[in-house]
Amino acid sequence: AVLEVQDDADEAAIKKSYRGLVLRWHPDKNPAERERAEERIRSINTAYSILSNPTKREKYDLQRCAMDKKRRGEAFAKPRVSPKVSAPKEFIMQPLGHTEKFLRYDSQRRTSVVTRQDVDVDFEDFFKSTKMSLWWLPEVNNRCRLRALGSKAHGDRRGAAAGLAGGLNLSFRVNATAESEVILAAAEKGKRTENVDFVARESPEYEGAFRFETACRRG
């Protein structure tokens, strides 16, 4: 939508549209709306960086296809592999349909969903703060706790090693007025397990991805 091309547009069509939009929205050509033009240019550049990269475009197309199927109410193939077996040791999390955005846990113990351009840190530090892992609860099948690996605090490392609710664990709360129903934040000491425990399932909407359902509110 940002680049104003069809879903099946080829490389030449994408490049042509990109160049035309960059000329149209260049801030120097829109002095009366410079701030809006700069925001549009950022969006256009982000979209082009995805659609012009074969790997990123394949991932984007898979997510878009999954979202289209969900809107049409089509059934999905039943998952066949246990997440506990197939989930990677470390991973990053992205909102479905937004391949340029990442869930990030920063040095101030805050979680946010941002693009690389939103944060003024170097490449390595940015992606260190987006790394996540899982701690599997031994007594419950497929129940786990979501952990951010970016914190360097001694207390966080100690909490993770001891399997405590605090430290690196992320908790959640539900807020219907926010863009997302589930809001992730660093778990405080003594946080109740129903606000920390997740159930991991293979995503029925996007092949190769996993979905984390809150243990107390399935689905």
Side-chain angles (χ1 to χ4, degrees):
V2 175
L3 291 184
E4 301 178 5
V5 295
Q6 298 295 320
D7 292 341
D8 59 352
D10 60 17
E11 184 179 352
I14 292 170
K15 184 178 291 187
K16 180 179 179 180
S17 181
Y18 167 72
R19 288 175 173 172
L21 288 169
V22 167
L23 287 173
R24 185 197 309 173
W25 286 101
H26 195 285
D28 291 346
K29 291 190 175 184
N30 297 271
E33 297 182 293
R34 189 174 188 86
E35 187 173 331
R36 181 186 175 206
E38 289 175 348
E39 181 63 32
R40 287 284 295 176
I41 286 292
R42 281 193 290 269
S43 297
I44 291 165
N45 285 335
T46 297
Y48 183 70
S49 71
I50 293 169
L51 295 186
S52 62
N53 182 302
T55 302
K56 290 182 178 180
R57 181 169 183 179
E58 181 182 15
K59 186 176 180 181
Y60 169 79
D61 286 343
L62 285 170
Q63 291 188 357
R64 180 173 50 78
C65 181
M67 294 175 71
D68 288 343
K69 285 185 176 181
K70 185 175 182 180
R71 279 193 290 266
R72 294 194 297 268
E74 293 184 13
F76 298 95
K78 187 177 180 181
R80 299 181 297 276
V81 182
S82 167
K84 195 168 184 178
V85 174
S86 55
K89 299 292 184 183
E90 296 182 3
F91 54 89
I92 59 176
M93 297 181 69
Q94 297 177 284
L96 188 63
H98 296 275
T99 56
E100 79 285 4
K101 294 186 178 181
F102 304 87
L103 175 66
R104 182 173 183 264
Y105 178 79
D106 64 25
S107 59
Q108 304 299 314
R109 298 172 64 86
R110 297 173 301 192
T111 58
S112 57
V113 176
V114 295
T115 67
R116 173 70 184 88
Q117 292 77 21
D118 291 335
V119 184
D120 187 21
V121 296
D122 63 35
F123 182 90
E124 184 176 355
D125 285 343
F126 177 84
F127 283 102
K128 276 184 179 179
S129 65
T130 65
K131 284 188 177 181
M132 304 289 163
S133 69
L134 298 177
W135 182 73
W136 298 97
L137 277 69
E139 67 276 11
V140 185
N141 189 37
N142 280 354
R143 184 170 291 194
C144 60
R145 291 178 181 173
L146 181 63
R147 300 194 143 174
L149 299 181
S151 175
K152 299 178 182 177
H154 176 68
D156 287 347
R157 295 197 302 271
R158 185 174 56 192
L164 302 176
L168 294 174
N169 290 322
L170 297 183
S171 66
F172 62 87
R173 60 187 175 90
V174 177
N175 187 340
T177 63
E179 181 180 354
S180 172
E181 290 185 357
V182 177
I183 301 172
L184 294 172
E188 299 172 358
K189 186 177 181 180
K191 180 76 72 172
R192 295 189 303 176
T193 57
E194 58 262 37
N195 295 111
V196 180
D197 292 355
F198 291 84
V199 175
R201 302 188 184 281
E202 276 204 90
S203 172
E205 302 169 7
Y206 182 33
E207 185 178 357
F210 296 91
R211 182 170 71 185
F212 298 98
E213 300 178 355
T214 58
C216 62
R217 294 175 64 124
R218 300 293 182 87

